[in-house]
Amino acid sequence: LQSIVSENMARRATELASAEAIIEAEVARFTRWLQSREIVPTIVALRTRFERIRQAELRRLEPKLGGLTPEARAKVDEVTRLLVEKLLLGPTESLKAVADETLVVSYAEALHRLFALTEDAGASPAGRPADGPVSNSDEASVPGARRR
């Protein structure tokens, strides 16, 4: 009987170590996911910013696009939308993969400054409300942009 009990205890100890490893892996995965969620407001603001700029440029080019058929205009809209998506895919995935919380905050702050996201999306880094007003002129508030 004692040998059976010892055998069961040894087997349980092995299973316990396996269960602990699974739990540690899942906690680490959940922590990474949770940290990636902190950057989501910045990613949304960045995508919103790019989409507004895309739409503003299409409106600005309206006189030149006036002769296009509705199908061709839809194609131009689709191509520009896909271009924006492609340009933002890599940076978005990289931002979500950052595990260091300090680095996430630094990146978020840098993106907000570089792309004037606080004015654009009404949120500041770390998801806090912005202090300043929301800008209505996307073209005028793009840092370094030239008016055409």
Side-chain angles (χ1 to χ4, degrees):
L1 183 61
Q2 185 62 30
S3 68
I4 293 173
V5 169
S6 295
E7 220 175 273
N8 281 339
M9 293 298 283
R11 193 173 33 235
R12 287 181 182 183
T14 303
E15 293 299 319
L16 177 63
S18 177
E20 286 175 344
I22 291 170
I23 290 169
E24 283 179 27
E26 288 303 311
V27 166
R29 190 170 72 91
F30 177 75
T31 302
R32 282 191 308 274
W33 173 82
L34 193 57
Q35 287 173 337
S36 78
R37 300 297 300 164
E38 292 177 18
I39 197 72
V40 168
T42 298
I43 291 170
V44 169
L46 184 64
R47 289 182 170 275
T48 299
R49 177 74 165 156
F50 274 58
E51 177 59 19
R52 286 180 179 169
I53 292 169
R54 180 187 79 85
Q55 290 177 1
E57 284 301 302
L58 287 175
R59 282 191 304 273
R60 186 184 66 79
L61 293 171
E62 182 68 28
K64 294 180 181 178
L65 300 175
L68 296 178
T69 65
E71 294 82 16
R73 290 178 127 193
K75 222 26 152 173
V76 168
D77 186 67
E78 180 185 9
V79 167
T80 58
R81 185 184 53 75
L82 291 173
L83 181 62
V84 167
E85 287 293 320
K86 191 167 214 151
L87 288 170
L88 292 176
L89 181 62
T92 298
E93 294 302 316
S94 295
L95 285 169
K96 287 180 179 178
V98 175
D100 181 347
E101 189 173 336
T102 305
L103 198 53
V104 167
V105 171
S106 295
Y107 283 174
E109 288 174 353
L111 286 169
H112 278 265
R113 282 191 205 118
L114 288 170
F115 294 103
L117 298 182
T118 333
E119 297 171 16
D120 208 44
S124 63
R128 293 183 301 275
D131 294 330
V134 175
S135 171
N136 290 330
S137 174
D138 292 310
E139 293 173 351
S141 62
V142 178
R146 293 178 288 158
R147 301 283 296 187
R148 292 180 199 99

